Amino acid sequence: MAETLSSQEALKLWHQALLSSVRAEGPDLSARQMALFLQVYLAPPPHTVRGLAATLQISKPAVVRALDTLGRLDFTRRRRDQSDKRNVLIQRTVKGSVFLSEFADWVVTASDTL
Amino acid sequence: MAETLSSQEALKLWHQALLSSVRAEGPDLSARQMALFLQVYLAPPPHTVRGLAATLQISKPAVVRALDTLGRLDFTRRRRDQSDKRNVLIQRTVKGSVFLSEFADWVVTASDTL
DNA sequence: CGCGATCATGTCGGTACCGTACCGAAATGG
DNA sequence: CCATTTCGGTACGGTACCGACATGATCGCG
């Protein structure tokens, strides 16, 4: 378990992890896209467009577009809810898990340099 | 000083901090833009366009555009190098410092929930 | 049934971003 | 001096994003 970070350490952590990601030619996700991506992987399902929009406090079309991008990257997948066909359930993918695992490593490595 | 983070903790930290930023209607910076921004504030000056491009390993026009955006937000400022007028020096601003300080708080708060 | 509410997504005009290629200004050195 | 190199920035064609609004499919209630 980590102890409390100082502000300076927090920024340095963010800086080093982002540097790793950018240099590795990782996908250039915006803050919204990354937040949405992590929400899908870390919060318990089910995830719907409306639910994600409410959680992130952004518009529904913004969620749809972010899902378009994440889907293009094969980081998330859409599936119709068979019990209520108005809903779309957002699911994880293998490729998304792999990227997230790599990303987590960058953060961990950055935290080791503090 | 913080101890080593586990991968799970690293992702949770990132998730919570980004959620705070997105919900606060913070600027929706991309990974590249944020990395560049942090580079300017955390690495020792001077910062030039070419130097930043080399450090981040991205193209020069990408740096120019990121600086356009950060300048529009008043997070960074350009200034001609008077000793070599081909160079542009990238400088910090008060507004950028304020935002970064707020952002650091979000990360620290997120780390406290681990 | 039928009809309003709900859900995701399409459409629109506008803006920002990408990489490649090119530009002019300034510095350098032969 | 003048050719060359080194700067930051711009032009271009293409893609993706934004918010606001409209649409089509589906549900659930009276």
Side-chain angles (χ1 to χ4, degrees):
Chain A
M1 311 307 160
E3 294 174 27
T4 300
L5 260 50
S6 72
S7 292
Q8 206 48 231
E9 288 171 333
L11 292 180
K12 190 176 171 190
L13 172 73
W14 214 268
H15 181 209
Q16 292 304 319
L18 274 185
L19 271 184
S20 300
S21 177
V22 168
R23 285 171 175 158
E25 313 252 8
D28 192 28
L29 298 180
S30 70
R32 285 175 166 202
Q33 291 167 341
M34 190 65 181
L36 181 48
F37 183 32
L38 286 166
Q39 181 69 24
V40 169
Y41 277 75
L42 299 183
H47 301 289
T48 64
V49 172
R50 186 158 192 84
L52 291 166
T55 300
L56 301 203
Q57 296 174 22
I58 60 179
S59 75
K60 264 189 310 175
V63 171
V64 168
R65 284 185 286 256
L67 290 175
D68 288 343
T69 298
L70 293 172
R72 247 177 266 127
L73 291 168
D74 198 20
F75 281 2
T76 59
R77 199 176 49 219
R78 285 186 241 232
R79 168 174 292 220
R80 273 287 160 197
D81 181 352
Q82 288 309 312
S83 71
D84 182 344
K85 293 184 179 166
R86 290 173 304 181
N87 290 336
V88 162
L89 304 178
I90 315 304
Q91 307 184 310
R92 304 164 192 167
T93 66
V94 172
K95 196 168 169 202
S97 302
V98 169
F99 170 72
L100 224 49
S101 157
E102 190 180 16
F103 190 85
D105 275 350
W106 289 326
V107 180
V108 170
T109 300
S111 86
D112 287 341
T113 72
L114 292 182
Chain B
M1 311 304 164
E3 294 174 28
T4 300
L5 259 50
S6 73
S7 293
Q8 207 47 231
E9 288 171 333
L11 293 180
K12 190 176 171 190
L13 172 73
W14 214 267
H15 181 209
Q16 293 304 318
L18 273 186
L19 272 184
S20 301
S21 177
V22 169
R23 284 172 176 157
E25 313 252 8
D28 192 27
L29 298 181
S30 70
R32 286 174 165 203
Q33 291 168 341
M34 191 64 180
L36 181 49
F37 183 33
L38 286 166
Q39 181 70 24
V40 169
Y41 276 76
L42 299 183
H47 301 290
T48 64
V49 172
R50 258 193 150 72
L52 291 166
T55 301
L56 301 202
Q57 297 174 21
I58 60 179
S59 74
K60 202 182 27 152
V63 172
V64 169
R65 281 185 288 256
L67 290 175
D68 288 343
T69 298
L70 292 172
R72 250 178 265 126
L73 291 167
D74 198 20
F75 281 2
T76 60
R77 198 177 47 219
R78 284 186 241 230
R79 169 172 292 222
R80 274 286 161 198
D81 181 352
Q82 288 310 312
S83 71
D84 183 342
K85 293 183 180 166
R86 291 173 304 180
N87 290 335
V88 162
L89 304 178
I90 316 304
Q91 307 185 310
R92 304 165 193 166
T93 65
V94 171
K95 196 168 169 202
S97 302
V98 169
F99 169 73
L100 225 48
S101 156
E102 189 180 16
F103 190 84
D105 275 349
W106 289 326
V107 180
V108 170
T109 301
S111 85
D112 287 342
T113 72
L114 293 182

